[in-house]
Amino acid sequence: MKRKINALRIMLLVVACTLWCAVGSAQNNIARLDALDIKSFSEGIPGIVTKTNAGGGPLKIGGHYFSSGIGTNGVSVLPFLLDGDAISFTAGVGPDDEANPLSTYKFYVIGDKKILFESKDMKVGDQPEKIQVNLSGIQRLGLLVMVDAANLSRSYSDWVDAAFVMKPGYMPEHIPNTGEKYILTPASSALPKINSAKVFGATAGNPFLFAVAATGVRPMYFTASNLPQGLNIDSATGIISGKVNNKGIYPVVLKAKNKWGETTNILKIKIGDTIALTPPIGWNGWNSWAREIDKDKVLASAHAMVSKGLHNHGWTYINIDDAWQGRREGSDKALQPNEKFPGFKDMADSIHALGLKLGVYSTPWITSYAGYAGGSSNFEDGSYPDSVRDNKRQYRYTGKYRFENADARQMAAWGVDYLKYDWRIDVQSAQRMQEALRKSGRDIVFSISNSAPFDSAATWKKTANVWRTGPDIRDSWTSLYYSAFLLDKWAPYAGPGHWNDADMLIVGNVTTGSKMHPTRLTPDEQYSHVSIFSLLNLPLLIGCPIDQLDAFTLNLLTNDEVIEIDQDPLGKPARLIIEDKGVQVWVKPMEDGSYAVGLFNLAGFGKTPQSFFRWGDEKPVSYQFDFSKAGLLGKWKLRNVWKQQDMGIFSNQFKTVIPHHGVVLLRMYKAG
């Protein structure tokens, strides 16, 4: 009996040892936040950095330095897919010691909609709060920093010594974006249809270029009656060019004809002192290739604009962002392109021959954000030595010698049509470049970037054609919301010749924050994105490689009725009229007396910590739009703009279903 007991004990000991050895050999994964590709997870604004604070300094909370962690700025949103494979999360949190002392910060860890950790309201100088949460069984996790909205500038917050403990073989993943890419807009007809803006402004005596945008089967032939003296139209391409010396308003009758029929439209040409009578619409290269942009990519984008048919819907500008700049040369010491852009004038001519326009980038600083030569220098000859290039962050200021006039003349000589001027905006630099462009002898749309102070909105209206109202946009709902849905206060300052700008469209494949990837906006969010930009009369600048557009994204960008809302000659941005039960109603008056109305299901975004994240169980909402609450009394004929479909006549109200973060975009015509 004793031998049997001993044998049983030995067997149990062997089994226990085997299990212990197995557990010991399969070590858990430690996933530090600063070791992940953390920028690709970030949905906040602006971006995120590792092992430094958001300003590039050391991580420091309450007087304590940390070598491991991440730095964020403003509202920070970090979603992770864990799928039940995480064990725990630990970190220290707090505002960085270099942060804005006026801001108040609050940190959250949220798992499957439950708040697992909530910090106190924290201020600069507070000691870091410690986090240690159990993540057993958690499917989706969110790390959130909320900041007092009144003091977002330099709102640096830190997650230090931050790490997940994961089961062996597992790491945090991205939240999937698996929404159906449903197409709403019907294909264009074979019949000719003119889609150009109804008004165009130019300066007397400057070169004139306008391409008639028209859909329909080619070949197509164009005519223009009552053109002012000095202009001609190419009957095969619809490109109107030349020069008008006399100021005035010229109603021109455009005609487009193919084998299926013909159509006419009125174009009002205004020769005077104001250009950009409708918001610019085109493409910008930064979110496609950033510093890797070159001449071949720019020309390929221009040809893709034509081959994809976007130009037939009014898309016009091909804008080169930062990274084209080289050295200053010649007697004028004007900035010249670098080796990636040989034959700059020939490139511009090729783009103009397609009926498109060319944009470039500059800054009044010594160095651009990407580290290329800017519009000033501490050297009289404008040189940009390696000592400056290698320490570029230290030279983000306006130098002793400025070259606005020389650069504006060179841009005009090349045939540039658009300038993005990028820096921490100040009035004097903006006014100097405005004057230089005015004297250049060419109409060049003047766009200033970024984060124009609202307190000077009246000044930007007088100084620039376009001004960026916030920081760089990212492909996330959080960024879209803060970039566009908070612009109601800016509306009174926008109108023909001067437009608010929320940055590029974040559809298609983008490189915001990390390598090229499909936008993280759901299809519903993308419909909302294009809708709110159009309702607000914002510039529409595609931010993805045009030749990579899939059928969904191309359809999203070629709805002429949506573009017409953006390009309406009245130029009055929509206003937020109703906010009720998670739905916002934006109403925009149109030149013809109708109204464009956007019903957006924001689902209470920003109202709770949980609302910043996508949990996978989001649902549409049923909403009854009460016309009287929007000041639209009586009967109205309603049209679904995305479907290009009449819906009938409605009295007093309209009931519909709106997808989560989606939109119902209406055009309302008085019916009695």
Side-chain angles (χ1 to χ4, degrees):
M1 183 70 176
K2 189 174 182 178
R3 287 180 180 176
K4 289 182 179 179
I5 292 174
N6 287 338
L8 180 60
R9 286 176 176 172
I10 292 171
M11 183 178 70
L12 291 173
L13 183 61
V14 169
V15 171
C17 182
T18 301
L19 290 173
W20 182 85
C21 291
V23 172
S25 62
Q27 295 181 348
N28 295 324
N29 279 345
I30 306 299
R32 299 194 333 269
L33 290 193
D34 59 18
L36 299 173
D37 180 14
I38 198 64
K39 290 184 178 181
S40 68
F41 287 91
S42 174
E43 295 189 357
I45 48 171
I48 199 166
V49 292
T50 60
K51 299 185 179 180
T52 71
N53 66 30
L59 294 166
K60 186 181 180 185
I61 305 175
H64 302 282
Y65 290 92
F66 298 87
S67 59
S68 174
I70 61 172
T72 70
N73 190 2
V75 177
S76 175
V77 181
L78 286 166
F80 300 93
L81 179 66
L82 301 180
D83 257 350
D85 298 320
I87 296 171
S88 64
F89 175 74
T90 58
V93 296
D96 192 89
D97 283 3
E98 292 184 4
N100 183 346
L102 300 177
S103 297
T104 301
Y105 305 76
K106 199 155 192 174
F107 297 76
Y108 295 89
V109 179
I110 309 164
D112 297 339
K113 290 188 175 181
K114 296 179 181 178
I115 296 178
L116 307 179
F117 169 83
E118 178 179 354
S119 76
K120 66 180 182 181
D121 289 337
M122 302 187 73
K123 302 285 285 186
V124 172
D126 286 349
Q127 294 299 303
E129 284 202 41
K130 302 295 184 183
I131 299 174
Q132 185 165 2
V133 293
N134 183 352
L135 300 181
S136 298
I138 296 295
Q139 301 297 305
R140 298 187 181 200
L141 187 82
L143 304 181
L144 173 68
V145 184
M146 291 295 296
V147 183
D148 175 16
N151 296 295
L152 285 175
S153 175
R154 215 173 82 254
S155 296
Y156 303 160
S157 58
D158 302 333
W159 298 79
V160 297
D161 297 333
F164 291 100
V165 178
M166 304 292 297
K167 292 178 181 178
Y170 292 95
M171 293 290 284
E173 302 288 344
H174 296 88
I175 300 292
N177 185 356
T178 55
E180 178 191 356
K181 291 185 174 181
Y182 57 98
I183 288 178
L184 294 179
T185 302
S188 298
S189 167
L191 290 165
K193 178 177 177 291
I194 295 174
N195 303 309
S196 303
K198 297 175 183 178
V199 63
F200 182 76
T203 303
N206 284 355
F208 184 104
L209 180 66
F210 179 89
V212 180
T215 48
V217 170
R218 262 51 178 186
M220 188 176 291
Y221 302 97
F222 299 89
T223 60
S225 304
N226 304 322
L227 277 175
Q229 186 176 0
L231 297 185
N232 294 288
I233 186 169
D234 186 310
S235 62
T237 64
I239 296 174
I240 301 174
S241 60
K243 186 181 294 185
V244 183
N245 291 321
N246 298 319
K247 290 185 177 182
I249 298 176
Y250 303 89
V252 175
V253 180
L254 302 177
K255 180 182 288 186
K257 182 178 181 179
N258 67 7
K259 69 177 182 178
W260 295 98
E262 64 181 46
T263 188
T264 60
N265 242 16
I266 301 296
L267 170 66
K268 189 178 293 184
I269 295 177
K270 293 186 176 182
I271 304 298
D273 300 319
T274 306
I275 62 173
L277 297 180
T278 61
I281 174 171
W283 172 84
N284 180 290
W286 183 258
N287 284 350
S288 297
W289 291 292
R291 294 170 177 82
E292 304 304 314
I293 193 75
D294 58 36
K295 177 182 176 181
D296 290 342
K297 291 183 176 72
V298 171
L299 286 175
S301 299
H303 286 287
M305 186 82 85
V306 174
S307 65
K308 293 283 186 178
L310 286 161
H311 71 308
N312 295 330
H313 301 272
W315 298 90
T316 300
Y317 288 93
I318 298 293
N319 291 348
I320 307 169
D321 210 282
D322 204 348
W324 69 271
Q325 310 95 300
R327 298 184 180 276
R328 295 191 174 276
E329 297 176 1
S331 58
D332 217 13
K333 299 301 179 186
L335 188 61
Q336 301 299 308
N338 58 39
E339 65 281 357
K340 296 188 298 179
F341 287 89
F344 209 86
K345 179 67 165 62
D346 291 341
M347 178 185 68
D349 290 345
S350 296
I351 290 170
H352 291 151
L354 297 172
L356 305 177
K357 297 186 176 183
L358 174 67
V360 297
Y361 171 104
S362 192
T363 174
W365 286 345
I366 294 172
T367 180
S368 71
Y369 281 104
Y372 290 81
S376 66
S377 174
N378 285 336
F379 302 94
E380 189 173 4
D381 65 356
S383 59
Y384 191 69
D386 290 343
S387 59
V388 174
R389 182 179 291 102
D390 295 342
N391 298 280
K392 53 184 177 290
R393 291 182 69 93
Q394 299 177 24
Y395 291 91
R396 291 179 179 175
Y397 63 87
T398 302
K400 181 179 179 181
Y401 301 97
R402 303 190 311 270
F403 299 89
E404 293 99 345
N405 291 315
D407 288 347
R409 285 192 294 268
Q410 179 64 85
M411 292 175 200
W414 283 329
V416 168
D417 306 288
Y418 187 106
L419 171 63
K420 176 180 176 179
Y421 213 42
D422 191 19
W423 80 115
R424 295 192 185 103
I425 299 171
D426 69 276
V427 173
Q428 292 75 21
S429 293
Q431 290 175 337
R432 285 194 297 265
M433 182 51 82
Q434 176 198 33
E435 180 64 13
L437 294 175
R438 188 187 65 80
K439 296 186 301 185
S440 71
R442 187 174 183 85
D443 289 348
I444 300 177
V445 173
F446 185 34
S447 169
I448 59 175
S449 178
N450 58 65
S451 300
F454 178 72
D455 291 346
S456 300
T459 299
W460 312 136
K461 178 178 178 179
K462 297 175 183 177
T463 306
N465 302 115
V466 176
W467 54 87
R468 276 274 299 281
T469 53
D472 292 350
I473 199 169
R474 298 174 61 81
D475 58 309
S476 72
W477 179 258
T478 299
S479 185
L480 174 60
Y481 174 82
Y482 282 99
S483 296
F485 285 95
L486 298 182
L487 289 187
D488 189 52
K489 68 178 183 179
W490 285 88
Y493 301 97
H498 40 269
W499 308 103
N500 298 313
D501 178 15
D503 204 7
M504 289 166 265
L505 295 171
I506 40 174
V507 298
N509 294 329
V510 295
T511 59
T512 58
S514 62
K515 62 184 179 181
M516 185 81 72
H517 60 278
T519 180
R520 290 175 295 178
L521 294 183
T522 67
D524 292 323
E525 291 169 346
Q526 292 180 65
Y527 277 110
S528 289
H529 176 20
V530 178
S531 297
I532 191 64
F533 269 47
S534 296
L535 285 164
L536 292 175
N537 289 119
L538 302 178
L540 302 179
L541 295 176
I542 301 167
C544 63
I546 302 174
D547 60 349
Q548 296 180 19
L549 292 176
D550 61 10
F552 170 79
T553 311
L554 186 60
N555 186 263
L556 195 69
L557 298 173
T558 52
N559 184 312
D560 297 307
E561 295 185 24
V562 176
I563 296 172
E564 183 181 15
I565 292 171
D566 180 78
Q567 297 288 295
D568 185 64
L570 188 61
K572 282 197 172 183
R575 303 303 302 266
L576 176 57
I577 303 299
I578 301 171
E579 189 162 11
D580 178 45
K581 298 177 181 177
V583 173
Q584 287 189 355
V585 179
W586 292 75
V587 179
K588 171 183 170 54
M590 301 287 285
E591 185 191 41
D592 65 357
S594 68
Y595 290 87
V597 178
L599 312 176
F600 295 89
N601 175 14
L602 270 61
F605 180 82
K607 306 296 185 185
T608 66
Q610 291 90 336
S611 68
F612 285 87
F613 301 92
R614 196 165 72 245
W615 302 105
D617 60 354
E618 289 75 18
K619 293 179 175 59
V621 65
S622 178
Y623 182 71
Q624 183 167 292
F625 173 32
D626 185 337
F627 300 164
S628 64
K629 290 183 179 179
L632 303 173
L633 302 176
K635 294 182 180 180
W636 295 85
K637 177 184 175 183
L638 267 57
R639 183 169 175 83
N640 185 307
V641 178
W642 278 110
K643 293 182 179 180
Q644 297 183 353
Q645 185 178 88
D646 290 331
M647 304 176 67
I649 296 176
F650 294 79
S651 298
N652 304 320
Q653 62 187 24
F654 168 69
K655 190 171 183 179
T656 188
V657 174
I658 314 172
H660 178 79
H661 288 179
V663 63
V664 173
L665 185 60
L666 304 171
R667 189 83 174 259
M668 299 179 65
Y669 301 87
K670 194 66 176 175

